[in-house]
Amino acid sequence: MSTEQPHRPATVSAARRRDVIDALRRGAVPESGLDLLATGLDRFEAALDAELDAVASGSSVFKAVRGEYGSGKTFFTRWLGERAKRRNFAVAEIQISETETPLHKLETVYRRLTERLATPGFPPSALRPVVDAWFYTLEEHALAAGVTDEELAGQVDRLMAARLAEVSRHAPSFAAALRGYRTAQDAGDEATASAVMAWLGGQPHVAASARRAAGVRGDLDHFGAFGFLQGLLTVLRDSGHSGLFLVLDEVETLQRVRSDARDKALNALRQLIDEVHSGRFPGLYLVITGTPAFFDGQQGVQRLAPLAQRLATDFTTDPRFDNPRAVQVRLPGFTQDSLVSLGRTIRDLYASGSAAPQRVLAAADDAYVADLASAVGGALGGKVGVAPRLFLKKLVGDVLDRIDQFEDFDPRRHYALTMSGSEMNEVERNAAAGSADEVELELS
């Protein structure tokens, strides 16, 4: 990571600043405003922006992001997602987990995608606004062709059939559900329209009456999910969006599931990559994240040779010469210098919205920020790579907030760093463990 502080806009809105600071205070990665914090990502910008532009032109891209815990994988994907949103992409971030979102059940992955779908204009779930915008666009095109009001409904049906012709070959029920939704909307039947929209989003247990009205049967299954994704991409593109930026986060959790489920999940990932590369999903930028152990270990990608071949990337050279265009990119993680640089950036951002900015800058000067970073890293066994979350949480919540509110608060005299196990995640607790006996192990 670079030790240079990120370039920040000359003015930052109070809302953006508050969102970033509030998230750090909670120990979370901010949902937006990540350009204010990004350090060391400039070397990725040109290649990733070119890929986003290619996807917006009808291509598709698959990317794997590798990094140890604390290296900033979630930050990186949200930062890239913000760049995608600025290009009018829809975005969705999905946490892979054995119980909530198992990767080998792609119908569940698709359902989470629609639940978390966001656009520059709508927060999650933006599925219904996207579909409504699509129908509006079809109506505009029909009217532009000179049809009368009486002919409008029929012309929209014909346009819809033409736009979804390829999708209908693989998932005819997707197009049928869209027609059913529009029919219910036109009839003022909100209950049926909402139920059909839920079915389009992959939700199970939709009322049989709504499914009959739309002319569809059953629930979405693993194989139908590919067709529904294809349909969603078509609707996004035709409603004016550049594409879909989709993140499958924490894929390394596959290493902890039963071997049969793990093998199915790895094969599903291989299928998904092949479909992306085959051109089936124009407008899709798909990102997965994982640890080096997942990509290189026998309980992860290496367990399935065809998947390992597709993800193979040379990381034997100096990280300075890593190829950001490769299928897999690595995040080297934080050093002490880059952690201190990030702390100064947050301190300056906080001060810019404080009622007493000079007091904040003086009490939490560069030397103090460096001392706090060293103390947090030391409490975590010197493992700086896993320190950023706790360091920023302590800096904002324990130090900067107090300086801002109490005129006589001096962090060097009135604050001593404390870190309890309850505020740490598993990786941080293991880093802080004083002996091997204290390291948490998952036994199965």
Side-chain angles (χ1 to χ4, degrees):
M1 301 288 286
S2 168
T3 59
E4 295 180 2
Q5 290 182 280
H7 170 73
R8 297 210 308 272
T11 59
V12 179
S13 72
R16 291 187 76 204
R17 184 190 304 109
R18 182 175 59 252
D19 288 347
V20 169
I21 295 299
D22 285 350
L24 297 178
R25 185 183 289 117
R26 299 192 309 270
V29 175
E31 294 289 342
S32 61
L34 300 182
D35 57 311
L36 304 175
L37 313 180
T39 60
L41 300 182
D42 52 325
R43 63 193 181 96
F44 295 106
E45 288 182 359
L48 297 179
D49 285 350
E51 290 176 348
L52 287 171
D53 291 341
V55 172
S57 298
S59 296
S60 53
V61 167
F62 170 82
K63 207 79 169 179
V65 178
R66 67 187 273 147
E68 297 288 359
Y69 290 105
S71 62
K73 297 187 294 295
T74 299
F75 182 97
F76 178 87
T77 55
R78 289 183 183 173
W79 167 80
L80 183 53
E82 283 197 346
R83 299 180 79 83
K85 263 190 176 180
R86 288 199 290 270
R87 287 169 167 77
N88 202 31
F89 277 73
V91 301
E93 176 186 317
I94 302 171
Q95 304 294 319
I96 297 301
S97 72
E98 180 181 10
T99 55
E100 296 294 322
T101 314
L103 186 55
H104 66 282
K105 295 184 177 180
L106 289 178
E107 68 275 23
T108 305
V109 175
Y110 173 82
R111 182 163 74 246
R112 297 287 179 260
L113 157 60
T114 61
E115 290 170 352
R116 291 160 172 73
L117 185 69
T119 68
F122 292 95
S125 164
L127 178 62
R128 188 164 182 170
V130 165
V131 171
D132 288 342
W134 185 61
F135 278 117
Y136 177 79
T137 300
L138 295 184
E139 290 178 357
E140 289 293 298
H141 288 173
L143 292 171
V147 302
T148 64
D149 290 344
E150 292 76 15
E151 299 169 329
L152 180 61
Q155 180 63 14
V156 169
D157 281 342
R158 286 188 287 274
L159 285 173
M160 181 171 65
R163 301 286 172 86
L164 293 174
E166 181 64 22
V167 177
S168 295
R169 290 178 50 238
H170 302 283
S173 56
F174 188 90
L178 283 172
R179 292 190 189 93
Y181 170 74
R182 179 165 174 266
T183 299
Q185 282 278 82
D186 290 345
D189 187 351
E190 174 59 27
T192 298
S194 296
V196 174
M197 182 57 61
W199 192 86
L200 264 174
Q203 297 295 332
H205 314 307
V206 172
S209 59
R211 285 186 274 121
R212 281 196 302 271
V216 297
R217 297 179 179 178
D219 294 328
L220 180 64
D221 60 18
H222 175 88
F223 299 102
F226 279 135
F228 273 45
L229 175 57
Q230 201 173 354
L232 176 60
L233 288 167
T234 298
V235 169
L236 283 168
R237 184 171 59 251
D238 287 351
S239 60
H241 295 284
S242 301
L244 171 64
F245 178 81
L246 174 60
V247 178
L248 304 181
D249 201 9
E250 299 184 2
V251 179
E252 70 270 0
T253 57
L254 297 181
Q255 298 170 104
R256 300 197 290 270
V257 305
R258 296 191 325 271
S259 60
D260 59 335
R262 184 188 314 144
D263 290 341
K264 290 177 183 178
L266 292 171
N267 190 56
L269 181 57
R270 193 270 309 163
Q271 285 181 293
L272 192 51
I273 293 172
D274 286 350
E275 294 287 5
V276 170
H277 289 160
S278 74
R280 181 176 180 181
F281 301 126
L284 177 63
Y285 195 119
L286 175 63
V287 180
I288 67 169
T289 72
T291 59
F294 169 72
F295 291 110
D296 301 336
Q298 292 304 314
Q299 299 306 311
V301 167
Q302 301 304 315
R303 189 179 178 92
L304 183 63
L307 179 60
Q309 291 166 7
R310 286 156 177 74
L311 294 177
T313 305
D314 178 19
F315 290 117
T316 60
T317 57
D318 188 313
R320 290 182 302 152
F321 305 116
D322 281 0
N323 178 13
R325 299 173 182 169
V327 67
Q328 193 180 151
V329 297
R330 66 174 163 183
L331 302 179
F334 279 85
T335 64
Q336 186 66 25
D337 286 343
S338 60
L339 188 63
V340 172
S341 176
L342 180 58
R344 293 200 305 265
T345 297
I346 298 303
R347 187 265 325 272
D348 292 349
L349 180 66
Y350 190 106
S352 68
S354 169
Q358 293 307 316
R359 186 167 72 235
V360 170
L361 295 172
D365 59 15
D366 289 357
Y368 179 79
V369 171
D371 288 345
L372 182 62
S374 296
V376 174
L380 295 174
K383 297 180 175 65
V384 178
V386 300
R389 188 189 75 86
L390 276 175
F391 166 60
L392 296 177
K393 184 174 185 290
K394 296 294 182 181
L395 177 63
V396 172
D398 290 355
V399 176
L400 298 179
D401 277 347
R402 286 170 169 154
I403 296 172
D404 188 45
Q405 296 176 83
F406 305 106
E407 291 186 17
D408 57 344
F409 178 77
D410 181 349
R412 292 188 180 279
R413 293 194 300 122
H414 302 130
Y415 174 70
L417 176 67
T418 59
M419 295 198 300
S420 65
S422 62
E423 65 180 329
M424 299 183 193
N425 59 34
E426 179 185 341
V427 175
E428 291 160 349
R429 285 194 294 271
N430 288 341
S435 68
D437 292 337
E438 298 178 51
V439 174
E440 296 181 16
L441 299 177
E442 288 198 9
L443 302 178
S444 57

